[in-house]
Structure formats: structure tokens, C-alpha cells
């Protein structure tokens, strides 16, 4: 099997900088960046056509950047086909809104306020907060969550030092663009200077979004994703958090907490306390467990446990009733096991609650990488999306991605039959 030469997710992100640059310089990415930079010529069209062209140009640039972010966050460290990303389409407009607000504010400060100190202050503040906003957007698909300070703090707190270094890196790029690149390109002939300036800006945009995706995948256990440890796999999906000299019992407790098995983790900690373990590391783990066992989470997990128990007892109807009540109460559902989601998805499909099928399966492959239910679950989503004329293209895209990524799955003949049927219909 060909060895993956993408970024190494076990290394600090700055050590992967040559790999990140190689990613953007690849034949899949660089030509699109060059086209985007050249697209600046259309912004010089007269009347309203110029501003419209500028908007479209930045929308296309963010489309590519979001595609890169989503794919990298999913563990795909090598460049691929970014013609149509199913997940990116659902959150692109929110990225564009944030990006345009940030860019518009900077343009206003630079050309109307003309206060260098204020510009620098804005760059520092926006640079610090913007990566976290983009990361929350890619994880939650919710603009309100991305603009919630508490969620942003929760995102960056577990790996604050790494995040701070990334912000400094981003700030350095912004300062370089604002005070060196822009003044330099301003001295060039108008059209050529604009093309060069935007080419560099879009290059940096893709680079930063690729790094953000890398950081999301590398620290995904901090967001509540399963962190499965597979020492026999070379796949990027098997991210090991075990340190060479770390106590294996501590590793076990962390794994239980990450997977939501709080009761067993609590029992092991209590047993270690009885054996007079007073280490600082155990205290940190205990504090982590307390955070997970907050009153709100306890309330949510009680219903999740009911659903899990009903499914174990082969009573999917009762489990689905509990889930419907949670939706009515606007409670968040944190599944205890992947099979809970699979069973609820099938119940929702049978009840023709198609929007619930899509919501239940959101980021299923992130939470349970390499799980056997990924293909059948997402194939069900394909069938749901294909029923709606507005989402038929998304269904085709998702179907193609399943066939390409899981060519050896037992359901592939059925998926290929579906694809042929769609082609015949067209």
C-alpha cells in the first residue's frame, strides 16, 4: 500500500509546515488558487458588476477553503477532489458571512479610518478569535454556536498553548500581508498588483484552513469525539493519545471519559484513590471527569442511557419515543454507542422523519471512524437526500464519495447500482 505522505498528526503542527506548503502547492490545489487570483480582473468591471464579481470571487475562495478544512478535519491529509463537498455546502454560507464581515471591517479601517494603531489592534483581536469561530462552525455547523464565547473557550481551553501558537502564526501572516505585501503590490500596475495581492491572500487562506483542519483532527478528543487507539493501523483515523511514559491506567481512564463511559472511569479513579494514588495527573483526570458530569450533562445522559438500554433490549420503538421527547424538550442527544444512532436513524426513516435522519448522522464518521455502520447509514442518507429535488446533487456527491472511499464494502455493488440508475435517469 502506498504510504501516506501527508502531515503527521502525531507531530506539533509547526513541524508539519513543509507538508502543509506541499499540500497547497499540489496539482489539485495550486491551479485553483491561481485561477482565483486571476479572477481579480473581473472585479474591475463597470457599475455593479465589479462588486458582484468581488463577492463571487471571495465566495469561491471560501468554498475551496471550507472544502479543504472539512476534508482535513475528517483525517484526509492529502489533497483530493474538491469539486463538491457535501458537508462544506451546508456550512459555506456561514463561513462566507464571517469572512466577509472580517474582510469588510479591515477594508473600512484601512481606507476610511486610517488609524494604524486601531488597524493593528483589530488584526490582533480578530486573528485570535477568528480561527476558533471557523473551527466551531466546521464542528457544529451553527453560526450561533460559533459566536458563543463560552463555546469558543470550551474549544480552545484543553489545548490553549497550541492554539495560541497557531494564532501567532496567523497574526504573522496577517501583518505580512497588511504591511509588506499590500504596500508592495500597490506600487505595481493596478491590474497586475491586484492579481498578485489576491493570489497571495487566497494561498494563505487555503494554507490556514488546511492547518485548522489538521488541528481539529489532531485534537478532536477535546470536542467529545471518540479517540480510538489502534496500534496496528497506519491510518490517520487511528490517532493514539498515549504518551510513551504515561501510566496505562491513566490512558484507560481518559479513553473511557472520551467514549462517555463515565461510571467505569469514576470507579477506577475511586479504586486508585483507595490505593493512595495522590498524583497530580490523576487529579487532573478527576477534574476532567467532574466537568463531564455537570448537571446539564447528567440530565442529557440519563435519557441517552434509556435509549441505549431500550436498544439493548431490542425495543427500538421505545428508544425512538424517548428521542422524540428529547427533541420536543430541545435536549441535546449524546449517543452512548454508535448502534444507538443507527437504530434511531432506521426508526426515523421508517417514520418518514427524514430531517432527523440527516441530523442524527451529522459527523457520524468523525465520531466513529472506521465503524461498520458508516456506509449503510450514509447510504440511507443518500436515499433521503435524493427524494428532495433541492438536495439531489448532494445525494449524488455523497454516493460518489462512499463508493470512492469504501470500495471493498459489501454494500458497494448496491451503491454502484444506484449510481447507474441515477445516470440512466439523467
Amino acid at each position: 500500500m502506498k504510504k501516506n505522505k501527508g502531515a503527521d498528526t502525531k507531530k506539533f503542527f509547526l513541524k508539519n509546515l513543509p507538508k502543509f506548503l506541499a499540500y497547497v502547492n499540489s496539482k489539485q490545489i495550486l491551479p485553483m488558487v491561481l485561477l482565483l487570483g486571476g479572477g481579480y480582473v473581473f472585479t474591475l468591471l463597470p457599475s455593479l458588476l465589479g462588486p458582484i464579481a468581488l463577492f463571487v470571487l471571495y465566495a469561491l475562495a471560501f468554498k475551496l477553503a471550507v472544502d479543504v478544512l472539512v476534508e482535513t478535519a475528517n483525517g484526509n491529509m492529502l489533497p483530493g477532489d474538491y469539486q463538491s463537498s457535501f458537508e462544506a455546502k451546508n456550512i459555506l454560507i456561514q463561513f462566507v458571512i464571517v469572512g466577509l464581515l472580517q474582510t469588510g471591517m479591515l477594508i473600512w479601517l484601512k481606507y476610511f479610518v486610517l488609524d494604524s494603531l486601531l488597524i493593528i489592534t483589530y488584526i490582533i483581536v480578530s486573528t485570535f478569535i477568528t480561527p476558533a469561530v471557523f473551527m466551531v462552525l466546521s464542528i457544529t455547523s451553527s453560526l450561533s454556536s460559533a459566536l458563543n464565547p463560552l463555546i469558543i473557550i470550551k474549544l480552545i481551553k484543553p489545548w490553549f498553548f497550541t492554539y495560541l501558537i497557531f494564532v501567532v502564526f496567523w497574526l504573522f501572516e496577517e501583518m505580512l500581508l497588511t504591511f509588506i505585501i499590500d504596500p508592495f503590490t500597490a506600487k505595481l500596475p493596478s491590474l497586475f498588483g491586484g492579481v498578485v495581492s489576491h493570489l497571495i491572500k487566497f494561498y494563505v487562506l487555503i494554507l490556514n484552513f488546511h492547518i485548522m483542519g489538521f488541528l481539529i483532527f489532531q485534537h478532536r478528543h477535546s470536542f467529545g469525539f471518540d479517540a480510538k487507539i489502534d496500534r496496528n493501523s497506519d491510518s490517520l483515523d487511528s490517532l493514539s493519545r498515549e504518551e510513551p511514559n504515561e501510566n496505562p491506567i491513566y490512558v484507560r481512564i481518559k479513553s473511557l471519559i472520551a467514549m462517555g463511559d463515565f461510571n467505569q472511569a469514576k470507579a477506577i479513579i475511586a479504586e486508585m484513590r483507595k490505593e493512595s494514588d495522590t498524583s497530580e495527573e490523576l487529579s487532573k483526570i478527576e477534574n476532567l471527569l467532574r466537568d463531564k458530569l455537570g448537571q446539564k450533562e447528567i440530565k442529557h445522559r440519563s435519557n441517552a442511557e434509556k435509549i441505549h438500554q431500550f436498544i439493548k433490549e431490542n425495543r427500538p420503538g421505545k428508544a425512538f419515543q424517548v428521542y422524540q421527547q428529547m427533541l420536543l424538550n430541545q435536549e441535546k442527544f449524546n449517543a452512548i454507542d454508535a448502534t444507538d444512532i443507527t437504530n434511531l436513524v432506521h426508526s426515523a426513516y421508517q417514520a418518514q422523519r427524514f430531517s432527523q435522519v440527516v441530523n442524527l448522522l451529522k459527523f457520524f464518521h468523525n465520531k466513529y471512524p472506521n465503524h461498520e455502520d458508516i456506509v449503510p447509514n450514509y447510504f440511507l442518507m443518500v436515499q433521503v437526500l435524493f427524494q428532495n429535488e433541492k438536495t439531489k446533487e448532494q445525494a449524488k456527491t455523497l454516493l460518489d464519495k462512499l463508493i470512492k472511499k469504501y470500495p471493498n464494502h459489501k454494500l458497494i455493488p448496491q451503491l454502484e447500482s444506484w449510481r447507474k440508475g441515477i445516470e440512466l435517469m439523467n
Side-chain angles (χ1 to χ4, degrees):
M1 188 173 87
K2 185 178 179 181
K3 187 175 180 182
N4 191 319
K5 295 182 180 179
D8 186 347
T9 58
K10 296 180 182 178
K11 290 184 178 179
F12 187 64
F13 82 93
L14 284 180
K15 293 183 178 180
N16 281 294
L17 191 56
K19 297 289 181 67
F20 297 145
L21 293 171
Y23 182 98
V24 185
N25 291 331
S26 67
K27 62 181 181 180
Q28 293 92 339
I29 302 295
L30 189 58
M32 289 190 280
V33 176
L34 292 172
L35 285 173
L36 288 169
Y40 175 77
V41 299
F42 295 104
T43 66
L44 301 180
L45 292 171
S47 188
L48 291 176
L49 295 178
I52 292 174
L54 183 64
F55 176 84
V56 172
L57 184 65
Y58 272 89
L60 290 173
F62 269 90
K63 165 67 170 64
L64 176 59
V66 173
D67 280 332
V68 168
L69 172 59
V70 170
E71 286 297 316
T72 310
N74 288 341
N76 301 326
M77 298 297 154
L78 291 177
D81 178 15
Y82 299 109
Q83 295 301 313
S84 182
S85 168
F86 168 70
E87 293 173 28
K89 281 185 176 179
N90 294 334
I91 56 177
L92 174 61
I93 188 63
Q94 299 171 44
F95 276 85
V96 172
I97 291 172
V98 174
L100 289 177
L101 285 174
Q102 182 191 33
T103 304
M105 179 63 72
L106 183 59
I107 291 174
W108 181 70
L109 289 173
K110 286 172 61 178
Y111 294 102
F112 295 97
V113 178
L114 303 175
D115 187 332
S116 297
L117 181 60
L118 190 59
I119 293 173
I120 294 174
T121 303
Y122 170 75
I123 290 175
I124 292 173
V125 174
S126 65
T127 300
F128 182 81
I129 203 72
T130 298
V133 171
F134 286 160
M135 289 179 183
V136 174
L137 272 179
S138 66
I139 295 167
T140 66
S141 303
S142 169
L143 187 60
S144 59
S145 296
L147 299 178
N148 187 329
L150 296 178
I151 294 179
I152 291 175
I153 292 171
K154 185 177 180 180
L155 173 86
I156 65 178
K157 184 179 178 181
W159 50 289
F160 179 77
F161 177 75
T162 301
Y163 179 81
L164 185 61
I165 296 300
F166 174 64
V167 167
V168 172
F169 176 77
W170 189 313
L171 178 60
F172 171 77
E173 293 174 318
E174 291 287 345
M175 300 288 281
L176 188 66
L177 288 170
T178 302
F179 297 104
I180 296 180
I181 300 299
D182 283 351
F184 170 75
T185 56
K187 296 178 181 179
L188 299 174
S190 177
L191 179 60
F192 181 68
V195 169
V196 172
S197 174
H198 282 78
L199 174 62
I200 296 174
K201 288 178 181 178
F202 294 149
Y203 185 98
V204 171
L205 176 71
I206 304 304
L207 175 66
N208 287 338
F209 273 55
H210 178 46
I211 298 175
M212 281 196 295
F214 170 87
L215 292 172
I216 289 173
F217 182 79
Q218 190 179 54
H219 298 277
R220 66 191 186 280
H221 59 274
S222 300
F223 317 137
F225 296 156
D226 279 350
K228 296 188 176 182
I229 299 175
D230 182 359
R231 296 175 181 83
N232 299 318
S233 172
D234 293 328
S235 169
L236 288 171
D237 287 330
S238 57
L239 175 64
S240 172
R241 304 205 317 270
E242 182 176 356
E243 299 295 334
N245 299 320
E246 190 172 6
N247 189 323
I249 299 179
Y250 296 162
V251 174
R252 171 63 176 160
I253 299 173
K254 289 178 183 178
S255 178
L256 289 170
I257 294 173
M259 291 185 290
D261 196 344
F262 302 136
N263 291 333
Q264 189 173 351
K266 187 176 181 180
I268 295 175
I269 292 175
E271 193 66 30
M272 295 185 71
R273 288 300 191 194
K274 288 180 181 178
E275 296 176 2
S276 302
D277 187 335
T278 58
S279 67
E280 183 180 353
E281 182 65 20
L282 184 60
S283 297
K284 290 180 180 178
I285 297 173
E286 198 169 18
N287 289 335
L288 174 64
L289 180 60
R290 287 197 190 100
D291 290 340
K292 296 289 184 180
L293 287 173
Q295 290 302 314
K296 189 175 181 180
E297 286 297 318
I298 290 174
K299 180 182 177 182
H300 292 168
R301 278 207 79 243
S302 63
N303 281 325
E305 284 184 324
K306 289 179 183 178
I307 290 173
H308 183 66
Q309 186 62 34
F310 282 137
I311 290 173
K312 284 178 65 177
E313 295 171 357
N314 197 25
R315 301 167 67 188
K318 293 292 292 183
F320 191 59
Q321 287 179 11
V322 175
Y323 177 68
Q324 295 304 307
Q325 189 59 50
M326 290 182 70
L327 293 180
L328 289 174
N329 296 337
Q330 296 184 336
E331 294 182 17
K332 183 180 178 182
F333 172 58
N334 295 316
I336 295 176
D337 189 79
T339 55
D340 299 349
I341 295 178
T342 298
N343 277 272
L344 290 175
V345 162
H346 283 279
S347 296
Y349 185 81
Q350 292 171 6
Q352 297 187 343
R353 306 284 179 86
F354 298 132
S355 62
Q356 293 180 19
V357 172
V358 176
N359 288 332
L360 281 165
L361 290 178
K362 188 176 292 184
F363 294 112
F364 181 86
H365 58 295
N366 284 79
K367 299 175 183 177
Y368 309 100
N370 299 323
H371 197 279
E372 60 183 6
D373 288 344
I374 289 177
V375 173
N377 281 346
Y378 280 123
F379 182 41
L380 197 63
M381 185 189 284
V382 167
Q383 298 172 51
V384 168
L385 294 173
F386 197 76
Q387 295 179 31
N388 190 328
E389 192 66 34
K390 294 181 180 179
T391 56
K392 276 191 176 182
E393 288 302 318
Q394 294 179 2
K396 295 175 187 176
T397 300
L398 182 56
L399 183 61
D400 288 339
K401 292 186 74 172
L402 289 173
I403 294 172
K404 182 179 179 181
K405 191 169 184 179
Y406 306 97
N408 299 320
H409 195 277
K410 62 183 180 181
L411 285 180
I412 289 302
Q414 189 175 348
L415 270 65
E416 290 178 336
S417 175
W418 249 75
R419 184 169 62 178
K420 290 178 181 178
I422 292 173
E423 290 173 352
L424 289 173
M425 290 173 62
N426 290 335

